[in-house]
Amino acid sequence: MTLGKEIDGKAFAATLRGRIAETVPGFVEQTGRKPGLAVVLVGEDPASSVYVRSKGKATVEVGMNSLEFKRPATISQEELIELVEELNADDSVDGILVQLPLPDHLDDKAVIATIDPAKDVDGFHVVNAGKLAVGDPTALVPCTPLGCLMLLKDELGDLSGKEAVVIGRSNIVGKPMMQLLLAESCTVTVAHSRTHDLAGVVHRADIVVAAVGRPEMVKGSWIKPGAVVIDVGINRVPAEEEGKSKIVGDVATAEAINHVAAITPVPGGVGPMTIAVLLRNTLVAAHVRAGLPAPKGL
Ligand code: GUN
């Protein structure tokens, strides 16, 4: 059996970050300030803390300002909304990201609804979700699905007419991924936990995007020979070695590699793209807010 190729998301993301770093000085020259990204972290969830630290580091590395707002898990809804309103009013802030999930007593929909859509670099506000749905090019698009689309276009070129199956219907990945693929003229099916004969549905696909959060749920035999598979899953599972853990995706990669044309590895596939696209969205938001044309080639 032939082995498929691994898509190097890490390298693609590094190239994108390089293009962003090259574009920032022009913005600084024209506006007299750096683009700024504000990240809000509520509580001390270890995984969220790691993500927020990586985002801050990557932001500074491309020459933008990183502002971190850490608040205790006991923060009230009113206090959190007040913080977002302050960031909305702060002209040095171009992007606002409230790290999810929030503690249970907080209403994430209300918090997201408070973010100025022009600063919503996560693309989670209903204004941006609506713009994406109606094909308005000024939408800020959620980072992970936009990163997946960039990898797919790099691999396949024109996606028009292809059968795409998205597994998962979250607002963060599944639904925006569906919109992006539809806008590329794919025939899109969104599968989820209630889908009958998931194996059969997946087997139709030229493009599979797996975003369910269940370790290695998608089996190699489900994949149509020659399909391109994007694995969004990041699942921590026990490793072979006693007491150790490892990260696996939503796809059983060791099997799938024998069926696919190409697949993103976990880690090193989609993960690095998310942060690179966040920086891209921040730079785009900064240009639009400053009345400058959106940077090209990003
Ligand atoms: N938690 C997991 N992924 C994301 C993301 O893309 N944005 C935010 N704000 N929180 C997340």
Side-chain angles (χ1 to χ4, degrees):
M1 236 182 278
T2 53
L3 282 183
K5 155 190 165 190
E6 282 200 345
I7 296 172
D8 192 346
K10 212 169 150 183
F12 193 101
T15 304
L16 178 55
R17 288 199 309 273
R19 290 205 300 271
I20 292 164
E22 284 169 12
T23 312
V24 169
F27 178 87
V28 175
E29 205 169 289
Q30 284 174 280
T31 63
R33 66 174 188 89
K34 292 181 176 183
L37 172 63
V39 176
V40 179
L41 174 63
V42 178
E44 289 176 6
D45 175 67
S48 290
S49 301
V50 171
Y51 288 139
V52 166
R53 219 173 306 132
S54 315
K55 285 170 190 172
K57 186 165 167 274
T59 306
V60 171
E61 274 173 8
V62 295
M64 308 203 288
N65 272 338
S66 166
L67 302 109
E68 274 180 30
F69 297 84
K70 293 192 178 150
R71 294 295 182 265
T74 52
I75 191 172
S76 69
Q77 177 79 9
E78 292 71 28
E79 287 168 319
L80 183 55
I81 296 230
E82 213 169 284
L83 171 59
V84 171
E85 283 169 347
E86 280 168 25
L87 297 173
N88 283 345
D90 184 340
D91 241 357
S92 72
V93 171
D94 297 292
I96 302 170
L97 180 148
V98 179
Q99 184 67 29
L100 302 177
L102 290 172
D104 286 345
H105 71 283
L106 298 170
D107 176 358
D108 53 2
K109 284 198 177 65
V111 173
I112 291 165
T114 307
I115 298 173
D116 176 352
K119 298 189 177 188
D120 171 38
V121 286
D122 258 329
F124 293 167
H125 193 286
V126 290
V127 165
N128 283 311
K131 283 181 171 182
L132 176 62
V134 300
D136 181 332
T138 67
L140 283 165
V141 177
C143 304
T144 299
L146 184 53
C148 294
L149 184 73
M150 288 178 182
L151 294 178
L152 282 168
K153 287 171 88 166
D154 185 58
E155 196 54 42
L156 292 167
D158 183 14
L159 306 184
S160 166
K162 297 204 180 291
E163 283 273 353
V165 172
V166 178
I167 316 171
R169 55 176 155 177
S170 70
N171 291 332
I172 295 182
V173 184
K175 285 183 208 162
M177 191 76 241
M178 169 195 77
Q179 299 288 6
L180 288 169
L181 291 166
L182 191 57
E184 295 294 327
S185 302
C186 291
T187 302
V188 189
T189 303
V190 181
H192 46 76
S193 54
R194 303 286 175 89
T195 295
H196 293 168
D197 186 23
L198 182 59
V201 171
V202 170
H203 203 70
R204 294 204 302 261
D206 305 308
I207 293 168
V208 180
V209 180
V212 264
R214 291 178 58 187
E216 303 191 324
M217 189 194 77
V218 178
K219 304 302 174 202
S221 60
W222 298 5
I223 309 288
K224 179 163 99 173
V228 174
V229 177
I230 304 291
D231 189 350
V232 182
I234 300 177
N235 308 291
R236 189 170 284 284
V237 296
E240 291 75 21
E241 199 181 328
E242 184 86 14
K244 294 253 161 103
S245 67
K246 62 176 178 176
I247 301 288
V248 299
D250 291 346
V251 181
T253 312
E255 301 167 13
I257 193 87
N258 296 310
H259 300 260
V260 299
I263 185 167
T264 55
V266 177
V270 173
M273 289 300 292
T274 299
I275 291 183
V277 175
L278 173 67
L279 303 177
R280 179 237 174 238
N281 282 356
T282 303
L283 190 56
V284 169
H287 278 76
V288 173
R289 291 188 60 252
L292 298 170
K296 294 221 167 10
L298 296 179

